[in-house]
């Protein structure tokens, strides 16, 4: 019997530092997120980052937390609940980190008699810190606990026409009544090293001006190419002129060189360039989360205003948008037929 496991990132149990710390520990000790040898990672994460970060992150989480829980988890659940009645196979939801584990999700499906699982990472663009870590973790669990199961992995859907159409429609809907000078596409950043590591050709991704627009098999796994491609296709549908949009990367951690340009730095400069009314869309996330609700809708807005900006609109993620849920269910039905 067939079934689907949707997998998103996860959130702490609550916005209290005592819950944020173990969550960040699990997240940042993942070798696909901080990809350095174990001892160095432990030193960096447990010896440096986790000394102060849990308090700071807890404070940020507290600002966006809902009565029902973490927005990312609640919104992912709403999506799953809308998709389920549109398909004929069981659909479960799991998180890569935290208490809603992939193991529990697979157990739930196994209890319903599922043996053939569509493994669906909820990330439009491929990255080893998001997609790959889910696939590897799920395979580890399958081998140990569910050897009778088989997986069909859903590839990154950054350029799927129906996804692009849903995203463009959603942006257009939210822009109604908002006179904007500029639309910023802000994607979660990753260290440049991650791009080189996942380059299957080992030589294509130079992270220069042109590699991401020069056709290559590397692009099936190039996060940077996929972010540019999602943007290019959405911009084409929206009919935006070149000077009315740009692309940046947010949420970097100190240390390595991360993908540029950086969202915060670019937003700070915008008012001086004549951009007074700014809309920001965050297509690396399908569900609103800390990085969209706090970093963009609160902090970036404040910085924009402080630097002379006027109106600021943070466009919500697709979340449980009806057309998007219909698209997801179409993909499931095509596979389950
Ligand atoms: C080395 C650090 C990080 C990498 C690489 C990274 C990649 C990455 N992350 C997401 C999606 C999300 N990240 C979120 C929060 C978050 N991300 C990092 C670090 C890295 N992410 C941290 C430390 C945090 C925690 C919050 C904080 O302390 O600032 C979230 C939000 C989670 C929530 O509960 O709302 C998401 C979603 C992607 C897609 C990605 C690679 C492309
Ligand atoms: Fe992240
Ligand atoms: Fe590239």
């Amino acid at each position: 019997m067939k079934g689907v496991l949707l997998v998103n990132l996860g959130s702490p149990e609550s916005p209290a530092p005592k819950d944020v710390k173990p969550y960040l520990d699990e997240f940042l000790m993942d070798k696909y997120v901080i990809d350095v040898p174990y001892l160095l990672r432990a030193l960096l994460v447990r010896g440096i980052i986790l000394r102060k970060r849990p308090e700071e992150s807890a404070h940020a989480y507290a600002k966006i937390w809902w009565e029902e829980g973490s927005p990312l988890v609640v919104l992912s659940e709403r999506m799953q609940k809308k998709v389920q009645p549109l398909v004929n196979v069981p659909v479960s939801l799991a998180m890569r980190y935290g208490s809603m584990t992939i193991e529990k999700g697979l157990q739930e499906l196994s209890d319903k008699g599922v043996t053939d699982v569509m493994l669906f990472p909820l990330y439009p663009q491929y990255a080893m810190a998001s997609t790959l870590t889910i696939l590897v973790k799920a395979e580890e669990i399958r081998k140990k606990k569910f050897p009778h199961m088989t997986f069909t992995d859903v590839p990154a859907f950054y350029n799927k026409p129906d996804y692009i159409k849903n995203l463009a429609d959603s942006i257009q809907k939210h822009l109604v009544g908002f006179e904007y000078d500029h639309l910023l596409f802000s994607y979660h950043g990753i260290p440049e090293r991650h791009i080189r590591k996942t380059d299957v050709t080992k030589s294509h991704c130079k992270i220069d001006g042109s590699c991401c627009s020069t056709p290559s098999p590397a692009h099936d796994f190039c996060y940077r190419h996929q972010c540019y491609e999602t943007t290019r296709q959405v911009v084409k549908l929206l009919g935006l002129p070149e000077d009315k949009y740009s692309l940046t990367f947010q949420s970097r951690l100190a240390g390595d060189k991360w993908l540029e340009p950086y969202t915060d730095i670019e937003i700070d400069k915008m008012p001086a360039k004549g951009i007074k009314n700014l809309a920001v869309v965050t297509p690396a996330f399908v569900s609103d989360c800390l990085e969209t609700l706090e970093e963009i809708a609160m902090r970036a807005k404040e910085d924009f205003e402080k630097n002379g900006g006027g109106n600021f609109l943070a466009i919500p993620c697709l979340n449980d948008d009806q057309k998007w849920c219909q698209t997801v269910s179409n993909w499931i039905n095509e596979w389950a037929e």
Side-chain angles (χ1 to χ4, degrees):
M1 181 178 160
K2 290 188 169 185
V4 181
L5 189 64
L6 305 172
V7 191
N8 208 338
L9 184 106
S11 285
E13 281 300 289
S14 84
K18 72 166 179 40
D19 288 325
V20 174
K21 190 170 179 179
Y23 166 76
L24 286 180
D25 185 78
E26 186 190 2
F27 185 6
L28 299 176
M29 283 304 291
D30 181 342
K31 66 178 179 189
Y32 295 101
V33 175
I34 297 195
D35 57 322
V36 297
Y38 177 81
L39 283 178
L40 180 55
R41 186 161 68 248
L43 182 75
L44 258 171
V45 173
R46 295 176 175 153
I48 301 173
I49 302 175
L50 291 187
R51 282 176 187 268
K52 280 199 180 156
R53 185 112 193 167
E55 287 284 339
E56 291 164 8
S57 291
H59 182 67
Y61 271 113
K63 291 200 262 176
I64 59 130
W65 210 259
W66 293 346
E67 273 210 9
E68 310 104 283
S70 143
L72 177 139
V73 173
V74 173
L75 290 163
S76 307
E77 285 169 343
R78 284 187 198 159
M79 178 204 175
Q80 179 234 341
K81 288 196 176 91
K82 272 200 187 171
V83 168
Q84 181 62 89
L86 301 173
V87 300
N88 289 322
V89 295
V91 180
S92 289
L93 173 69
M95 298 288 156
R96 172 61 184 84
Y97 312 106
S99 62
M100 290 173 68
T101 59
I102 292 175
E103 182 172 340
K104 284 185 196 163
L106 289 174
Q107 187 64 57
E108 199 176 287
L109 291 174
S110 181
D111 291 346
K112 292 179 178 162
V114 171
T115 51
D116 190 352
V117 179
M118 180 190 213
L119 191 58
F120 195 147
L122 290 172
Y123 300 112
Q125 299 82 19
Y126 176 96
M128 70 181 203
S130 53
T131 319
L132 179 62
T133 183
I134 288 175
L135 304 182
V136 170
K137 184 75 181 176
E139 180 57 14
E140 259 173 44
I141 296 166
R142 189 195 67 77
K143 275 197 188 135
K144 258 195 228 154
K145 307 261 169 139
F146 308 99
H148 59 290
M149 281 182 156
T150 55
F151 288 161
T152 304
D153 301 339
V154 176
F157 46 89
Y158 68 101
N159 59 353
K160 287 261 230 169
D162 33 8
Y163 160 72
I164 295 289
K165 175 87 170 72
N166 296 154
L167 184 56
D169 284 353
S170 165
I171 293 170
Q172 207 155 35
K173 181 179 82 184
H174 287 99
L175 284 174
V176 170
F178 185 77
E179 287 297 320
Y180 65 102
D181 304 316
H182 197 82
L183 174 61
L184 179 66
F185 290 75
S186 175
Y187 293 83
H188 197 303
I190 55 173
E192 285 191 352
R193 189 182 55 252
H194 288 205
I195 299 282
R196 293 197 188 90
K197 270 196 173 167
T198 53
D199 176 358
V200 289
T201 70
K202 298 290 165 220
S203 60
H204 177 79
C205 294
K206 296 177 189 67
I207 319 182
D208 57 11
S210 66
C211 70
C212 284
S213 52
T214 309
S216 165
H219 290 164
D220 287 349
F221 303 99
C222 175
Y223 180 76
R224 185 171 177 267
H225 164 80
Q226 298 187 2
C227 294
Y228 276 99
E229 195 54 20
T230 300
T231 306
R232 190 186 69 78
Q233 295 200 15
V234 168
V235 159
K236 197 172 160 197
L237 278 192
L238 292 175
L240 290 182
E242 279 296 306
D243 59 350
K244 192 123 180 174
Y245 74 92
S246 52
L247 185 161
T248 56
F249 296 96
Q250 64 179 84
S251 321
R252 70 189 181 282
L253 244 60
D256 290 319
K257 191 164 184 319
W258 284 50
L259 291 179
E260 290 178 344
Y262 297 144
T263 299
D264 51 353
I265 292 175
E266 293 307 308
I267 287 184
D268 281 356
K269 292 192 288 201
M270 283 181 181
K273 289 184 188 166
I275 297 170
K276 298 295 176 193
N277 302 305
L278 175 65
V280 183
V281 64
T282 43
F285 312 93
V286 297
S287 315
D288 274 301
C289 60
L290 187 70
E291 316 301 82
T292 64
L293 300 171
E294 195 270 339
E295 185 176 351
I296 299 298
M298 292 178 184
R299 263 191 293 144
K301 177 178 191 288
E302 230 175 82
D303 290 344
F304 180 65
E305 288 166 357
K306 229 187 281 168
N307 284 288
N311 297 312
F312 183 102
L313 176 72
I315 297 176
C317 297
L318 285 171
N319 296 327
D320 63 343
D321 175 278
Q322 191 59 42
K323 290 184 197 166
W324 164 234
C325 292
Q326 187 60 59
T327 292
V328 169
S329 55
N330 292 345
W331 294 345
I332 294 172
N333 286 331
E334 280 161 24
W335 169 78
E337 255 168 21

